[in-house]
Amino acid sequence: MQVLSSLSALPESSSFDLVVVGAGGAGMAAALFAALEGQQVLLVERTGHVGGTTAWSGGTTWIPGTRHSASVNPTDTLVDAKRYLDNAVGTRSPAALRQTFLDFGAQAVEVLENRTEVHYRAYPKHPDYISDLGGSTLNGRALEPLPFDGRLLGALFPLVRPPIPEFTVLGGMMVDRTDINHLLGLGKSFRSFKHACKLLARHATDRLRHPRGTRLVMGNALVGRLLHSLSQHANVTLALQTSVQRIQRNANGIQSLTLVQDGQRRTVAVRKGLVLASGGFNRHPQLRQDLLPGISADWCPAAPGHTGEAHGLAQHAGAHYGPGGLSPAFWAPVSKRQRPDGNTAVFPHFMMDRAKPGILAVNQAGDRFVNESTSYHLFALALQQQPQMAAYLVCDANALRKYGIGMVRPGGKGLEPFLADGYLVQADTLEALAHKLALPAAHLQASVAQINDYAETGIDPDFQRGSTAYSQNMGDPCAGGKNPNLGPLREAPFYAVRLYPGDIGASTGFATDGDARVLGEDNTPIPGLYAVGNDMHSIMGGVYTAPDITLGPGVVFAYLAARHAAARTSA
């Protein structure tokens, strides 16, 4: 792989079989699949890092029917997966596209694992998010990338987008769910002690030579594996800090595109195809205003780079957005805090706190409004329906020590900076906490009293917290209660963190067919134009059905787009 130090290093008459715009997970996968087909590939990324939001994500790739699925859940079938998606999504997306995803998912994973450095495992228990629907399953469909040794990348290692600092420990050490459980159990079992010691020793060695840990997990591991695989192909060129200024289309389809970098321009010919994988519309000011009115861009926890600039160019070439969907974006509740360097940390509350015993969510009226153990997508959609879209996670001292809250780590230590800047609010009584949050004290006290009663019975008649397999997997079965998601709030002081609805990715994108070809206004394919990842209209119809259901379809349709483009006659 050639990494361009400057756009001037690209000859004026350059041409490529496939140009991929955007080096997130889906874009890197499209470039890799095309390289495997022997195509000359140009991968264009407008930032200085590869990985996009995938690098900040859990890296889970939801693809049913793979060999990994059979290893942990041999009774699961694609018929079951289809039934689940039909029940969850219904008519919000074309059933034919969902079927294509299911038909080719295992094949895409086989190609990656047999011919590249990308390798997965099935987590022992990782339920579909709407686990009470027919066809859902508790495990096997969600694939996680194996941890990756970033040292194998050599000089390319700094190109991998670093993880969100608040998701690391000890100055840049990445940890996944398995690591967290061992670190929390450090003093309780020899197995956890041994695991933790290995992590700490490796990180200490890393920090002698690198600015952060080189043991990559979750999304960073997937991005590292994709980059390592791409680096082995001489037919791949990577252009960083480069934007697309113009897309030229003729009667035969996409002809060329003009790139710009620091005032330099190059027009490159496109022989077979252009793949849009720029990350979605979310940071485009006008598109955001049109599709996500009232949602501040400051609440978006996704990586920078998806400015939506390529969308206007694609629309000029005839592309249009797909219709319908539960929501134009996928969501998570987030909290915000200013970092010492002046940047704002936006922290998604995926799984570590809100569904745990001793924690509840209340709105500006001091009332519960949501099942705290539901998916982050549904939680944030409910949050948007609250007055001023304002809500708080509230917990007692016991829950804070055991689980932490937001950016506050478990253990209950080091709270002073969070209290000083107002990220964490503390009070000795619920009445005093309500006063600090400007909530009606009687309502907050009643909400806590109610959840305390429900913890005794193990049943939440208002929101059914802890009533599904997905919810229970988010809880703490070791807490000793009748319901792993319910526990009382009794031990002072009490704490709260402000929540906002944050868009974690686009659901609305360009309408495509089963080969990821972008459709024109007449619903016929635009020759040579493809869209994958968040640039493609989601096959999930705005429904968050399972872990990271953007990345699974992103990989599968990247495979189909690259395969179709390779078979095209050059334009």
Side-chain angles (χ1 to χ4, degrees), residues 395 397 400 412 415-416 418-420 422-430 432-434 436-437 492-497:
C395 71
L400 184 76
L415 303 184
E416 291 76 13
F418 299 97
L419 295 170
Y423 174 78
L424 182 69
V425 180
Q426 173 187 300
D428 290 332
T429 66
L430 289 170
L433 185 67
K436 288 185 175 183
L437 300 176
F494 300 93
Y495 300 92
V497 167

Side-chain angles (χ1 to χ4, degrees), residues 383-405:
L383 175 54
Q384 292 176 49
Q385 304 305 312
Q386 304 312 302
Q388 303 165 344
M389 290 186 278
Y392 300 89
L393 274 188
V394 178
C395 71
D396 71 351
N398 178 57
L400 184 76
R401 282 195 304 271
K402 292 179 71 174
Y403 312 115
I405 185 169

Side-chain angles (χ1 to χ4, degrees), residues 513-539:
D513 69 2
D515 288 310
R517 293 184 294 177
V518 175
L519 304 179
E521 292 294 344
D522 60 356
N523 283 323
T524 61
I526 299 172
L529 185 60
Y530 304 84
V532 299
N534 288 345
D535 281 356
M536 175 183 174
H537 196 60
S538 173
I539 64 168

